[in-house]
Amino acid sequence: MENSGDNLSQFDISKEEKDKLVGEVIRYILFKTHQSSGCPIKREELTQLVTKNYRNRLLPVFIINEAKDKLSTIFGYELRELQRSRPSSASQARFSQQSGVDAKSYVIISQLPAEVYKKYVEDVNTSHLTGFTFVVISIVHLAGGKIAEESLWHQLKRMGLHEADENHPVLGNVKQVLETLVQQRFLQKDKVNGPEGTTLFYELAERALDGPIVCSSA
């Protein structure tokens, strides 16, 4: 407790102010995760929540860490920072089509055992998205972690999933669902210039390389 008091005096805020800021950050994380279907949350967004009324530049890190602890102990979520992976074609990085997520961003991952999560938390209405995500990641993984867009759609067409299909009976707009995997950082897109022109590749991104596939809506 003494150490906590020392931290608060360092930031010149009271315990009540600290608790309020932590609560605001947690609410933002939970609601934004639900609203954006699990897309990563920029650290900058959380920082702005803290600094709109406080100017100490070290305060956001302290508040985010406090929120991380409470998310784990109270809500059963891990607040995981995504380590931005670079396109494999480093010379083409500047042409890379990215999701717009900055270098530091977060997702929340359930810490519940898989069987408990499936029984009490998992939304059956999104299970088809989890299945699609697993299939796409498996295809890219079996291709060595990177696959040309044309080759990916060739594999998906064998399962009845077509790029131009905007009214799939389960997935709806198939191309948009694939793009969502980029926004959620399961995949990243990379444009590569070659002798035959520009080719678009899909590569495994942070969330496909780190931990189980969870298409959470919080």
Side-chain angles (χ1 to χ4, degrees):
M1 293 295 295
E2 182 180 349
N3 185 50
S4 176
D6 290 343
N7 285 333
L8 296 180
S9 63
Q10 173 188 350
F11 299 121
D12 194 25
I13 62 172
S14 66
K15 182 180 183 301
E16 290 72 23
E17 289 175 303
K18 184 264 291 184
D19 290 343
K20 182 179 179 181
L21 285 171
V22 171
E24 288 179 358
V25 168
I26 289 175
R27 280 193 297 273
Y28 185 89
I29 291 170
L30 294 176
F31 282 108
K32 184 67 180 289
T33 297
H34 177 76
Q35 184 182 47
S36 64
S37 300
C39 291
I41 298 168
K42 295 179 182 180
R43 186 184 185 111
E44 178 187 357
E45 297 175 49
L46 304 182
T47 298
Q48 288 175 350
L49 273 181
V50 177
T51 58
K52 64 182 179 181
N53 292 318
Y54 300 90
R55 294 290 175 253
N56 190 306
R57 62 186 181 86
L58 298 179
L59 183 58
V61 175
F62 174 70
I63 296 298
I64 291 171
N65 285 336
E66 290 280 310
K68 181 177 182 178
D69 289 341
K70 286 189 178 295
L71 278 167
S72 177
T73 58
I74 297 174
F75 295 93
Y77 283 114
E78 174 194 352
L79 182 65
R80 182 177 298 176
E81 181 176 328
L82 297 182
Q83 298 296 325
R84 181 89 181 207
S85 56
R86 296 179 180 276
S88 59
S89 54
S91 63
Q92 299 296 330
R94 63 193 181 94
F95 299 107
S96 181
Q97 300 254 318
Q98 300 295 353
S99 65
V101 182
D102 65 6
K104 292 185 178 180
S105 56
Y106 298 96
V107 292
I108 54 175
I109 306 295
S110 175
Q111 296 176 315
L112 293 174
E115 63 275 11
V116 175
Y117 184 89
K118 183 175 182 180
K119 185 174 182 179
Y120 296 105
V121 181
E122 188 174 63
D123 184 356
V124 295
N125 296 317
T126 62
S127 59
H128 59 288
L129 298 176
T130 302
F132 178 78
T133 304
F134 181 81
V135 167
V136 171
I137 288 176
S138 297
I139 292 172
V140 179
H141 178 74
L142 291 172
K146 180 176 182 177
I147 190 171
E149 180 183 37
E150 182 179 354
S151 298
L152 176 59
W153 281 113
H154 175 74
Q155 297 295 331
L156 292 174
K157 284 174 185 175
R158 297 173 65 181
M159 293 179 281
L161 300 173
H162 299 273
E163 182 177 4
D165 192 350
E166 297 182 359
N167 296 290
H168 187 275
V170 176
L171 295 170
N173 188 321
V174 179
K175 188 173 183 179
Q176 182 57 52
V177 176
L178 181 63
E179 181 61 28
T180 298
L181 299 188
V182 177
Q183 296 169 357
Q184 293 177 333
R185 299 303 297 165
F186 287 106
L187 299 175
Q188 64 181 2
K189 295 191 290 187
D190 186 22
K191 277 185 177 180
V192 177
N193 292 327
E196 298 181 1
T198 301
T199 302
L200 182 63
F201 284 88
Y202 285 92
E203 295 184 62
L204 299 180
E206 302 92 333
R207 294 179 74 178
L209 297 169
D210 183 19
I213 298 170
V214 179
C215 297
S216 169
S217 59

